[in-house]
Amino acid sequence: MKITRDQVAHVANLARLALPDEELDALTGQMDQILEYVEQLNALDTDDIVPTAHAVPMENAFRPDQVNASLGIEKALSNAPERNENSFRVPKVIE
């Protein structure tokens, strides 16, 4: 599948890219090479291949919920640059 310079210019325009002529020519060649490679992949026989979402079989990766002791306020705030009683003090970001 050949891609034309006009098609690349159209895609660049849709992406709001102002490309100089030499870059447009280079991108046309690069995109043409990419499309040729994809065509090679499309030529592969994948009829007997089952579509998968992952490269390796996956089981449920969740673990059962467990109740554990909390970190504690003093330990959690021990490295805070600034604190306000039992919370972190951070700069105001909304006016």
Side-chain angles (χ1 to χ4, degrees):
M1 171 182 219
K2 287 295 261 183
I3 189 165
T4 66
R5 186 175 191 274
D6 290 337
Q7 289 172 322
V8 174
H10 178 68
V11 171
N13 184 45
L14 291 174
R16 305 285 191 259
L17 298 174
L19 300 175
D21 288 341
E22 56 275 353
E23 194 168 347
L24 198 57
D25 291 334
L27 283 175
T28 301
Q30 291 171 3
M31 299 232 357
D32 192 46
Q33 288 176 343
I34 291 168
L35 291 174
E36 284 177 17
Y37 182 71
V38 170
E39 283 300 317
Q40 289 178 9
L41 295 176
N42 286 336
L44 296 174
D45 180 21
T46 58
D47 292 337
D48 296 329
I49 309 282
V50 178
T52 59
H54 297 282
V56 295
M58 289 193 66
E59 297 293 322
N60 188 352
F62 298 115
R63 61 172 172 73
D65 288 337
Q66 295 176 335
V67 178
N68 294 323
S70 66
L71 189 59
I73 294 172
E74 285 306 315
K75 191 169 185 179
L77 296 174
S78 64
N79 290 326
E82 289 187 51
R83 60 188 277 185
N84 182 13
E85 295 180 21
N86 292 334
S87 60
F88 291 96
R89 181 181 212 91
V90 295
K92 183 177 180 181
V93 293
I94 300 176
E95 294 187 32

